[in-house]
């Protein structure tokens, strides 16, 4: 008797700190696994195939869309990004919580398919700090940074479609807030039907 896992969606303008936060969550919550996306963009220094992303060609990506293998996909900053459907289904059924780091458009597509998901928007404390963090990554050209900052303003305008807002000023505080959200969501009575049945049997 296993409760279905929690689907946790985190969106944020590129450079806000999603990947950093997700990595911390996975190491602290043994029941949380990370949905590795497919992308057609080139790997950044240090990124590992199959761990950070599945780096694929445009053709491969289009085949996946055709075969219905993606739960959602979007064109972000000129590259395709998508979530493998099988991984999600398999883990949620097993009772694993799955965390997704995806853009605003993809998140809104997923909301239609998984309205029970928990949608968290992670925001930078300011645009100047966001620019500093993107530049700190040192693997983006000036044009790429500009594109990401312009997109950031548009993405920030979509906060209203999310369930929670977390501001990533100090990482420890943002992490505590996201942890609290997950713990509270997992304690909801509507997600505890099987636990309640079990209690009745004791
Ligand atoms: P994203 O996945 O949202 O694009 P990253 O996790 O790659 O962002 O973070 C971008 C940069 O900002 C990294 O160098 C990371 O170490 C740094 N960073 C993340 N969170 C914070 C924070 N709270 N304060 C300062 N720097 C941060
Ligand atoms: P980056 O290139 O900085 O890793 O990611 C760029 C943007 O693509 C981020 O907003 C990130 O959340 C988003 N992204 C990553 N994977 C996916 C995915 O599978 N689907 C969608 N829709 N967006 C994704």
């Amino acid at each position: 008797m296993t409760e279905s896992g929690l689907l946790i969606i985190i969106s944020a303008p590129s450079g806000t700190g999603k990947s950093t936060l997700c990595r911390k969550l996975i190491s602290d919550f043994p029941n949380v696994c990370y949905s590795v996306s497919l992308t057609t963009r080139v790997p950044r220094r240090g990124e590992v195939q199959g761990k950070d992303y599945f780096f694929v060609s445009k053709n491969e990506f289009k085949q996946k869309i055709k075969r219905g293998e993606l739960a959602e996909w979007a064109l972000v900053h000129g590259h395709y990004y998508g979530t493998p459907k099988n991984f999600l289904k398999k883990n949620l059924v097993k009772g694993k919580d799955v965390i997704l780091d995806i853009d605003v458009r993809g998140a809104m597509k997923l909301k239609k398919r998984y309205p029970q998901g928990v949608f968290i928007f992670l925001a930078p404390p300011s645009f100047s700090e966001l620019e500093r963090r993107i530049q700190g990554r040192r693997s983006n050209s000036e044009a790429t940074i500009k594109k990401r900052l312009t997109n950031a303003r548009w993405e920030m305008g979509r906060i209203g479609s999310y369930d929670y807002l977390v501001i990533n000023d100090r990482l420890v505080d943002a992490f505590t807030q996201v942890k609290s959200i997950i713990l509270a969501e997992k304690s909801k009575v509507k997600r505890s039907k099987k636990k309640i049945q079990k209690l009745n049997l004791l």
Side-chain angles (χ1 to χ4, degrees):
M1 265 201 317
T2 322
E3 214 80 53
S4 167
L6 197 65
L7 186 67
I8 308 150
I9 295 95
I10 301 197
S11 300
S14 178
T16 302
K18 287 182 299 299
S19 319
T20 311
L21 199 82
C22 288
R23 274 195 294 271
K24 256 178 96 57
L25 282 171
I26 294 152
S27 68
D28 266 43
F29 282 90
N31 199 48
V32 173
C33 59
Y34 181 70
S35 162
V36 179
S37 297
L38 271 85
T39 183
T40 58
R41 83 151 161 76
V42 293
R44 294 194 188 109
R45 200 176 37 212
E47 282 185 329
V48 177
Q49 171 75 294
K51 185 167 170 274
D52 297 290
Y53 281 106
F54 293 107
F55 298 97
V56 297
S57 68
K58 249 189 203 168
N59 254 348
E60 281 176 84
F61 196 96
K62 286 184 176 166
Q63 285 301 316
K64 299 261 181 199
I65 299 175
K66 249 192 194 161
R67 293 198 293 259
E69 292 177 18
L70 302 180
E72 63 71 37
W73 64 271
L75 189 62
V76 191
H77 314 129
H79 305 288
Y80 289 97
Y81 292 84
T83 304
K85 201 191 278 175
N86 265 351
F87 180 87
L88 278 196
K89 284 195 170 167
K90 202 174 65 190
N91 283 287
L92 291 174
V93 166
K94 274 198 286 190
K96 281 276 213 183
D97 303 320
V98 184
I99 191 158
L100 271 73
D101 159 354
I102 63 173
D103 94 305
V104 171
R105 293 173 191 86
M108 293 308 105
K109 285 187 199 163
L110 263 193
K111 204 170 183 182
K112 290 197 184 118
R113 185 175 279 203
Y114 296 97
Q116 73 280 22
V118 180
F119 292 78
I120 304 173
F121 193 97
L122 187 71
S126 64
F127 281 98
S128 52
E129 173 60 13
L130 179 64
E131 190 168 358
R132 202 187 61 75
R133 287 184 195 170
I134 299 179
Q135 274 166 349
R137 253 187 336 214
R138 275 196 233 111
S139 47
N140 289 309
S141 66
E142 271 305 310
T144 307
I145 293 173
K146 252 196 167 158
K147 200 188 278 181
R148 280 164 196 260
L149 285 171
T150 308
N151 201 33
R153 293 195 183 269
W154 178 83
E155 289 173 294
M156 296 282 281
R158 302 293 170 287
I159 293 175
S161 305
Y162 285 75
D163 301 313
Y164 296 97
L165 167 66
V166 175
I167 297 173
N168 184 18
D169 191 352
R170 273 175 18 113
L171 186 63
V172 280
D173 297 335
F175 183 59
T176 305
Q177 204 180 335
V178 173
K179 257 172 92 166
S180 312
I181 293 167
I182 295 176
L183 292 174
E185 285 288 339
K186 286 190 73 71
S187 310
K188 280 192 167 163
V189 169
K190 71 174 184 193
R191 297 195 206 278
S192 308
K193 291 201 178 88
K194 292 188 177 154
K195 264 183 241 155
I196 296 167
Q197 276 173 20
K198 231 177 177 174
L199 281 176
N200 287 337
L201 295 174
L202 295 177

